[in-house]
């Protein structure tokens, strides 16, 4: 039986963060019941088409999935369990934000096989949280984290950001010291990017936003790598760290360029060598006629060449790199032969390292990863 990852998108938030360009909406909570109906109808419509697949990981993301009620979440979970073949003890993650987690919800998640909780903290300092437009403060985060532990969550991720406006290296270090002291199983640490059409974009354009310099941003990143490794976190992907055995199976599936199905607003899928996505228009998604199949937006029919290129640059995101033997088995050709010139050039520039078994980024290559990935893009 073929294996598949499943992503489910819940696009509702209490407030829109100033840096966020995700498919998410504030002030639309009244549409949640209709959305859940449309979502579960979409999922059911895939039952037959996915009958040859076994689900190996599920990720409910957003938005803020933890704002929907237990009853609404129950509809989603029942739809999954009734319509799809799920692997026993699969990794099942849910994203959440501090201030939206209560005892009953957490207990419901755990009792219904959601075994991995991701909490969006972003920064430790209340002034930074406020300047990002986050709804919580440090105290609320701590309460929610400790409650999740008390309920029994043994696999928790904390999302962090660095390179924030007016953030100092000392503040970033303080964030890491405090998070490491809590010993979450997984930490994601992303550098802030100014995305188009966000509040930060407008502030940046008008020259009001004081961002750390490129050197300060890199110093924060390097500190995170060294400090987390010293404290027994494995740096397994450019922006992700975990304790032993707690790497995120769902995200590794993306980086290994494997198949996945996405349900919900704007969700992306990659199935049978076709990449497609759902509309990002909330009204259109909710009001679609249930008799009619969803009009997915076909983004790409992948040729073998595209698939090979994607497998290269997605695989290089993982610190362990690309396994030459596995790649060769999948595409009947060694990457060393296919990309002889690119690999030679990148090795000379000190951006990648090749041994008999793997191709991986060097520390310099991690910093300049976008420059490396460009070399593998198809013409
Ligand atoms: S909580 Fe997450 S998805 Fe919602 S607005 Fe903030 S960053 Fe975006």
């Amino acid at each position: 039986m073929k294996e598949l990852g499943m992503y489910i998108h819940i696009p509702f938030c209490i407030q829109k963060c100033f840096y966020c360009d995700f498919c998410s909406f504030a002030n639309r909570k009244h549409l949640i019941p209709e959305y859940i109906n449309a979502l579960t109808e979409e999922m059911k419509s895939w039952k037959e088409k996915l009958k040859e697949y076994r689900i190996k990981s599920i990720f409910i993301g957003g938005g803020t999935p933890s704002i929907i009620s237990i009853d609404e979440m129950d509809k989603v979970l029942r739809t999954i369990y009734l319509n799809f073949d799920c692997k026993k003890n699969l990794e099942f993650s849910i994203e959440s934000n501090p201030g939206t987690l209560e005892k009953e919800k957490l207990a419901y998640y755990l009792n219904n096989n959601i075994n991995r909780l991701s909490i969006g903290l972003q920064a430790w300092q209340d002034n930074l949280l406020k300047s990002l437009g986050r709804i919580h403060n440090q105290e609320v985060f701590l309460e929610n984290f400790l409650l999740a532990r008390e309920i029994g969550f043994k696999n928790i991720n904390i999302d962090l950001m660095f390179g924030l406006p007016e953030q100092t290296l000392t503040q970033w270090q303080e964030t890491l010291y405090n998070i490491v002291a809590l010993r979450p199983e997984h930490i994601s640490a992303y550098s802030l990017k100014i995305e188009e059409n966000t509040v930060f974009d407008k502030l940046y354009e008008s020259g009001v936003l004081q961002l750390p310099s490129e050197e300060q941003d890199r110093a924060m990143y390097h500190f995170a790598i060294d400090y987390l490794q010293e404290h027994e976190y494995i740096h397994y992907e450019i922006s992700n760290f975990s304790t032993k055995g707690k790497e995120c199976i769902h995200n590794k599936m993306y980086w290994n360029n494997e198949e996945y199905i996405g349900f919900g607003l704007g969700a992306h899928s990659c199935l049978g060598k076709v990449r497609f996505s759902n509309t990002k228009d909330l009204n259109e998604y909710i009001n679609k006629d249930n008799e009619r199949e969803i009009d997915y937006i076909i983004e790409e029919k992948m040729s073998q060449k595209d698939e090979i290129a994607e497998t290269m640059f997605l695989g290089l995101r993982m610190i362990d790199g690309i396994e030459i033997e596995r790649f060769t088995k999948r595409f009947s050709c060694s990457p060393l032969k296919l990309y002889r010139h690119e690999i030679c050039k990148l090795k000379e520039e000190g951006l990648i390292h090749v041994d008999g078994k793997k191709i991986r980024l060097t520390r310099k290559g991690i910093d300049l990863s976008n420059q490396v990935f460009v070399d593998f893009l198809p013409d």
Side-chain angles (χ1 to χ4, degrees):
M1 212 168 198
K2 291 190 278 182
E3 294 198 326
L4 188 70
M6 180 183 286
Y7 175 80
I8 298 169
H9 193 70
I10 306 289
F12 303 99
C13 289
I14 293 175
Q15 182 174 292
K16 191 82 182 169
C17 302
F18 301 152
Y19 56 88
C20 177
D21 76 334
F22 299 150
C23 180
S24 66
F25 308 92
N27 307 318
R28 300 274 213 291
K29 266 186 103 174
H30 58 286
L31 293 175
I32 292 177
E34 285 175 75
Y35 182 81
I36 298 297
N37 278 342
L39 175 69
T40 50
E41 286 307 318
E42 184 197 1
M43 291 164 77
K44 285 185 223 162
S45 75
W46 277 86
K47 179 179 177 160
E48 273 306 297
K49 285 174 269 184
L50 296 183
K51 68 176 185 228
E52 282 168 16
Y53 286 93
R54 175 161 293 159
I55 308 303
K56 75 163 184 180
S57 64
I58 305 176
F59 195 104
I60 304 186
T64 306
S66 49
I67 65 172
I68 73 170
S69 69
I70 291 177
D71 282 353
E72 286 151 349
M73 187 57 78
D74 198 51
K75 276 191 196 164
V76 176
L77 297 196
R78 270 188 291 133
T79 308
I80 298 173
Y81 298 139
L82 279 173
N83 292 282
F84 305 107
D85 179 5
C86 295
K87 211 171 162 180
K88 214 173 159 217
N89 301 326
L90 84 176
E91 180 191 89
F92 193 156
S93 309
I94 188 164
E95 279 186 332
S96 69
N97 281 304
T100 61
L101 290 169
E102 301 126 28
K103 206 171 184 174
E104 294 71 26
K105 262 186 201 171
L106 287 164
Y108 169 82
Y109 295 162
L110 210 51
N111 291 334
N112 288 276
N113 303 327
I114 299 181
N115 49 28
R116 184 171 182 273
L117 182 71
S118 178
I119 308 179
L121 168 65
Q122 315 311 351
W124 185 253
Q125 299 77 12
D126 289 348
N127 63 326
L128 287 181
L129 290 171
K130 207 167 166 206
S131 71
L132 293 171
R134 303 290 295 177
I135 57 162
H136 64 273
N137 56 27
Q138 184 194 108
E139 193 186 339
V140 172
F141 160 74
L142 264 174
E143 273 171 24
N144 282 195
F145 179 87
L146 296 174
L147 187 61
R149 281 290 196 229
E150 189 190 312
I151 299 288
F153 273 92
K154 293 192 170 57
N155 195 358
I156 300 183
N157 167 58
I158 307 291
D159 277 339
L160 300 176
M161 289 169 85
F162 59 90
L164 305 175
E166 298 185 25
Q167 184 186 35
T168 61
L169 178 60
T170 310
Q171 285 175 317
W172 173 237
Q173 289 168 333
E174 187 190 32
T175 299
L176 290 170
Y177 298 153
N178 283 290
I179 292 310
V180 165
L182 293 171
R183 297 307 297 170
E185 285 69 27
H186 195 282
I187 298 172
S188 296
Y190 285 91
S191 171
L192 173 76
K193 297 269 168 305
I194 303 297
E195 304 290 354
E196 271 180 36
N197 301 322
T198 58
V199 173
F200 272 5
D201 184 30
K202 289 191 191 86
L203 294 174
Y204 185 67
E205 288 302 319
S206 57
V208 186
L209 215 59
Q210 295 294 318
L211 291 175
S213 65
E214 183 64 26
E215 292 73 49
Q216 287 166 326
D217 180 273
R218 288 301 84 189
M220 290 184 197
Y221 181 55
H222 293 157
F223 179 81
I225 296 175
D226 294 338
Y227 184 72
L228 291 172
Q229 283 179 338
E230 272 164 34
H231 290 80
E232 289 167 23
Y233 283 92
I234 301 158
H235 184 202
Y236 75 97
E237 194 269 348
I238 292 178
S239 306
N240 286 280
F241 304 82
S242 79
T243 55
K244 198 160 177 265
K246 297 291 185 184
E247 298 171 355
C248 178
I249 293 170
H250 187 82
N251 284 338
K252 276 180 84 175
M253 175 206 65
Y254 296 131
W255 300 317
N256 280 322
N257 202 14
E258 293 170 10
E259 290 187 293
Y260 54 92
I261 183 77
F263 296 126
L265 196 71
H268 290 256
S269 303
C270 178
L271 208 59
K273 307 206 186 297
V274 182
R275 288 193 183 279
F276 53 95
S277 64
N278 243 324
T279 174
K280 286 186 173 175
D281 182 323
L282 185 56
N283 286 327
E284 189 190 328
Y285 184 78
I286 285 176
N287 295 320
K288 90 179 158 49
D289 175 356
N290 285 339
E291 299 303 310
R292 184 172 59 79
E293 287 225 334
I294 288 191
D295 299 323
Y296 289 100
I297 304 158
I298 306 287
E299 296 183 338
E300 188 186 12
K301 284 194 174 128
M302 273 193 289
S303 63
Q304 166 101 338
K305 210 172 157 195
D306 297 331
E307 197 184 345
I308 287 175
E310 286 186 13
T311 304
M312 280 304 286
F313 62 76
L314 287 168
L316 282 172
R317 292 196 63 88
M318 287 186 288
I319 304 304
D320 244 10
I322 292 163
E323 275 178 51
I324 296 170
E325 198 183 317
R326 193 167 172 217
F327 184 104
T328 307
K329 237 186 215 164
R330 180 167 172 182
F331 298 110
S332 309
C333 192
S334 164
L336 301 177
K337 199 169 160 199
L338 276 169
Y339 291 106
R340 190 182 310 135
H341 298 299
E342 291 81 355
I343 287 173
C344 246
K345 173 182 152 270
L346 292 166
K347 260 172 74 176
E348 270 170 29
E349 291 168 351
L351 298 173
I352 60 169
H353 176 83
V354 183
D355 61 26
K357 291 186 174 162
K358 292 190 174 160
I359 307 169
R360 59 178 172 76
L361 294 175
T362 58
R363 183 110 174 204
K364 183 178 168 195
I366 293 173
D367 277 340
L368 300 172
S369 55
N370 287 336
Q371 192 180 311
V372 176
F373 301 155
V374 166
D375 278 346
F376 296 104
L377 288 177
D379 307 326

